[in-house]
């Protein structure tokens, strides 16, 4: 019976209490100081917490420029397998994107052709001179044989100066 009376008194006291007023009077810092966080965290199921997190909202709050500023691009590039990357490149498709007309328009073909033509002309003249000298030597030897001039001199006969005429 005493127990029944005690329960009834407790119920009347609890009903009479203003819980909000009681909470205002509680020093939460003192309560939290008595809480052992490691024990509390040991009871938390992180998978359940993560399941309740909306990752899209988290990502929306991330400043990507700050993330990129923290990335060491040299370290990223060092990890790239260039051979594997190049195996994925379609060279034909890449070449198909080249605008040949714009390339020709931006290239000074006149100067290129003039330079190329000048080089070809110079080479042709040099070869012609070389052949002429060779033919001159050959003709000089033949003339020397025909005249039976065996002086042992190879090469063309000496050219007389206009002042030394006989």
């Amino acid at each position: 019976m005493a127990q029944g009376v005690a329960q009834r008194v407790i119920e009347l006291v609890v009903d009479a209490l203003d819980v909000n007023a009681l909470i205002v009077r509680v020093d939460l810092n003192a309560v939290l100081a008595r809480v052992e966080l490691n024990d509390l965290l040991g009871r938390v199921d992180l998978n359940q917490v993560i399941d309740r997190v909306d990752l899209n909202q988290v990502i929306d709050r991330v400043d990507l420029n700050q993330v990129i500023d923290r990335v060491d691009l040299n370290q990223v590039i060092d990890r790239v397998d260039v051979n594997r990357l190049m195996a994925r490149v379609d060279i034909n498709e890449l070449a198909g994107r080249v605008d040949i007309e714009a390339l020709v328009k931006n290239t000074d073909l006149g100067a290129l052709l003039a330079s190329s033509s000048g080089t070809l002309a110079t080479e042709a003249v040099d070869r012609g001179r070389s052949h002429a000298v060779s033919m001159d030597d050959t003709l000089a030897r033949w003339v020397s044989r025909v005249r039976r001039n065996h002086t042992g001199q190879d090469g063309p006969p000496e050219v007389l100066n206009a002042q030394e005429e006989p």
Side-chain angles (χ1 to χ4, degrees), residues 27-37:
D27 182 8
L28 288 178
N29 288 326
V31 173
L32 289 175
R34 296 177 67 187
V35 173
E36 182 61 43
L37 286 178

Side-chain angles (χ1 to χ4, degrees), residues 49-61:
V49 173
I50 291 172
D51 287 343
R52 295 180 70 184
V53 173
D54 184 359
L55 288 178
N56 289 323
Q57 285 182 347
V58 173
I59 290 172
D60 288 342
R61 295 177 68 185

Side-chain angles (χ1 to χ4, degrees), residues 4-152:
V5 171
Q7 265 186 330
R8 180 72 183 131
V9 169
I10 292 174
E11 286 176 16
L12 289 173
V13 171
V14 169
D15 287 342
L17 283 176
D18 182 3
V19 176
N20 291 327
L22 182 64
I23 290 175
V24 169
R25 294 182 72 188
V26 172
D27 182 8
L28 288 178
N29 288 326
V31 173
L32 289 175
R34 296 177 67 187
V35 173
E36 182 61 43
L37 286 178
N38 288 330
D39 290 340
L40 181 64
L41 290 175
R43 291 192 230 168
V44 174
D45 184 3
L46 288 178
N47 289 324
Q48 284 183 346
V49 173
I50 291 172
D51 287 343
R52 295 180 70 184
V53 173
D54 184 359
L55 288 178
N56 289 323
Q57 285 182 347
V58 173
I59 290 172
D60 288 342
R61 295 177 68 185
V62 172
D63 184 0
L64 287 178
N65 289 324
Q66 283 183 341
V67 173
I68 291 171
D69 288 342
R70 295 175 69 183
V71 173
D72 182 2
L73 288 179
N74 289 324
Q75 194 174 29
V76 172
I77 290 171
D78 288 343
R79 295 177 69 183
V80 173
D81 182 358
V82 176
N83 291 328
R84 187 171 173 204
L85 179 66
M86 291 306 295
R88 296 177 69 186
V89 175
D90 183 1
I91 299 295
N92 292 328
E93 193 266 330
L94 208 79
R97 291 183 184 182
V98 175
D99 185 359
I100 300 296
E101 290 181 20
L103 187 64
V104 169
K105 220 181 265 186
N106 292 329
T107 304
D108 189 4
L109 284 179
L112 185 63
L113 288 174
S115 170
S116 177
S117 299
T119 302
L120 288 174
T122 302
E123 287 178 9
V125 168
D126 287 346
R127 283 194 179 159
R129 286 180 182 157
S130 174
H131 286 298
V133 168
S134 176
M135 285 176 42
D136 193 35
D137 286 345
T138 303
L139 282 175
R141 276 188 253 126
W142 277 87
V143 167
S144 178
R145 284 185 188 166
V146 168
R147 294 172 73 197
R148 296 183 188 255
N149 180 10
H150 298 289
T151 59

